[in-house]
Amino acid sequence: MTLFQRLDEHHPLTGRLAMAVEYDGTAYCGWQRLNHAASVQASLETALSRVAGDRVKVHASGRTDSGVHATRQVVHFDPPASRSQKAWVFGVNANLPRDVAVRWVKPVPDDFHARFKALARRYRYVILNQPSRPVLERANVTWCRDPLDARGMHEAAQLLVGEHDFSSFRAAGCQSKTPWRHLHFIEVHRHGPLVVVDVQGNAFLHHMIRNIVGALVSVGRGEQGADYLARLLALKDRTLGDVTAPACGLHFVDSLYDEAWGLPAEPLGPNLLAFLGEWTGERPLPDCPMVAVRRGRPVAEAAMAGEGGDD
């Protein structure tokens, strides 16, 4: 597997296209286009429209909040004009601000959908745990000056794995119809001064990960015991929960799809964690109905897997 692949510049791409986008969310209100503030979606659609010579609308694998970053936001769009792979990547990047970039583009079948065909989403929350404030990393980590017990945080987090009602960890303004989500895994590890919360699920509620991290930090500081997150989960009441961790430490690092779509594999971000060496899609997904259906198995067969999952 290589990071360097030649971009074709001779054959115009036709039909639906999938694209991976990386961005620093510091200056944006989030992914979704809004009339009153800057968004990543608006910047990308403007750049795509300039290259296509006509209006382009994109559909994303998920929405990120204000200030949240992404290293593998997958989108799809139906281009109004044919351009080569190189023209899409280089041309769009030339028209994007420096805090947003296209990583790759690939033709996909017309029934591919960046959101509705996604099997899972994965995030990494990065905490710089040292006495002095960050300088070079200040835009993409959260600083905690108090010593954190990463092992204790990891043990407390394991009680969240599986399918649960995450009402205690959803924002008051969350618009999801259901608080139920399936957490595939959540891990907390220390790498020198970095404490990384690595979490994957079928989908996430508004502020869900940041609220989980806020509670985990209380455990890491020794202010709460190992059963703290389990107690919060059982309460099903956000007003009794902990603080919301800052957005700057959160990175959307992967959106997983069935291998049949043939989307490129690439190392998980952010790049300051490249030493971990994990590439996308290496971990097995749970055999739950949502994953089964999106892999093309019949609904009745998927229901026999024994777990529900809402996206």
Side-chain angles (χ1 to χ4, degrees):
M1 190 173 295
T2 177
L3 292 171
F4 297 92
Q5 296 182 357
R6 184 180 297 276
L7 297 176
D8 182 86
E9 56 183 312
H10 302 294
H11 303 92
L13 302 179
T14 59
R16 180 162 294 183
L17 300 178
M19 176 178 281
V21 186
E22 179 177 0
Y23 51 87
D24 179 334
T26 305
Y28 299 95
C29 66
W31 162 263
Q32 190 172 19
R33 177 187 285 272
L34 296 174
N35 294 327
H36 63 278
S39 69
V40 181
Q41 181 182 8
S43 293
L44 178 61
E45 288 179 343
T46 297
L48 283 166
S49 299
R50 288 174 179 170
V51 173
D54 200 353
R55 185 172 180 268
V56 174
K57 182 178 181 180
V58 302
H59 302 269
S61 58
R63 293 180 293 180
T64 52
D65 295 335
S66 178
V68 175
H69 317 299
T71 60
R72 185 180 163 92
Q73 168 71 280
V74 177
V75 306
H76 82 264
F77 62 100
D78 297 312
S82 297
R83 301 286 185 267
S84 70
Q85 185 183 41
K86 185 175 182 179
W88 281 121
V89 175
F90 281 24
V92 173
N93 281 340
N95 285 280
L96 282 170
R98 294 185 63 185
D99 48 11
V100 184
V102 170
R103 297 178 65 96
W104 50 260
V105 65
K106 184 185 185 301
V108 289
D110 288 343
D111 58 343
F112 174 83
H113 195 287
R115 177 185 175 191
F116 297 123
K117 294 298 183 179
L119 303 177
R121 284 90 176 171
R122 184 169 175 178
Y123 286 80
R124 283 173 167 174
Y125 195 97
V126 186
I127 302 169
L128 184 63
N129 190 208
Q130 65 182 30
S132 59
R133 60 180 173 83
V135 177
L136 300 181
E137 309 93 344
R138 65 189 181 277
N140 48 34
V141 302
T142 290
W143 174 43
C144 180
R145 72 179 81 186
D146 303 315
L148 294 176
D149 175 10
R151 180 175 298 181
M153 294 166 67
H154 175 78
E155 293 175 356
Q158 300 318 298
L159 298 171
L160 301 179
V161 175
E163 189 174 13
H164 302 286
D165 179 338
F166 283 94
S167 293
S168 292
F169 300 100
R170 70 187 300 187
C174 180
Q175 298 178 354
S176 175
K177 296 179 180 178
T178 173
W180 287 82
R181 292 294 185 269
H182 187 160
L183 214 62
H184 298 165
F185 66 79
I186 179 168
E187 299 175 351
V188 184
H189 298 291
R190 176 179 288 278
H191 307 279
L194 298 178
V195 174
V196 180
V197 181
D198 199 339
V199 56
Q200 180 176 295
N202 67 325
F204 295 94
L205 301 165
H206 192 204
H207 288 176
M208 176 174 160
I209 298 175
R210 291 167 59 192
N211 290 332
I212 289 174
V213 172
L216 285 174
V217 169
S218 292
V219 174
R221 285 187 171 126
E223 298 169 353
Q224 297 290 344
D227 65 341
Y228 182 47
L229 274 82
R231 288 190 282 115
L232 291 180
L233 188 68
L235 290 172
K236 301 178 183 179
D237 186 348
R238 175 58 193 149
T239 63
L240 301 176
D242 213 306
V243 300
T244 302
C248 57
L250 186 57
H251 302 256
F252 182 17
V253 300
D254 203 3
S255 185
L256 284 77
Y257 299 87
D258 190 272
E259 297 81 0
W261 298 113
L263 300 187
E266 51 190 332
L268 294 173
N271 284 335
L272 78 162
L273 300 181
F275 60 87
L276 298 179
E278 186 174 358
W279 290 73
T280 182
E282 293 180 335
R283 305 194 186 196
L285 294 171
D287 189 22
C288 60
M290 188 275 281
V291 171
V293 168
R294 292 189 179 184
R295 285 193 184 279
R297 281 163 49 189
V299 175
E301 180 183 345
M304 293 177 64
E307 295 184 8
D310 183 80
D311 193 24

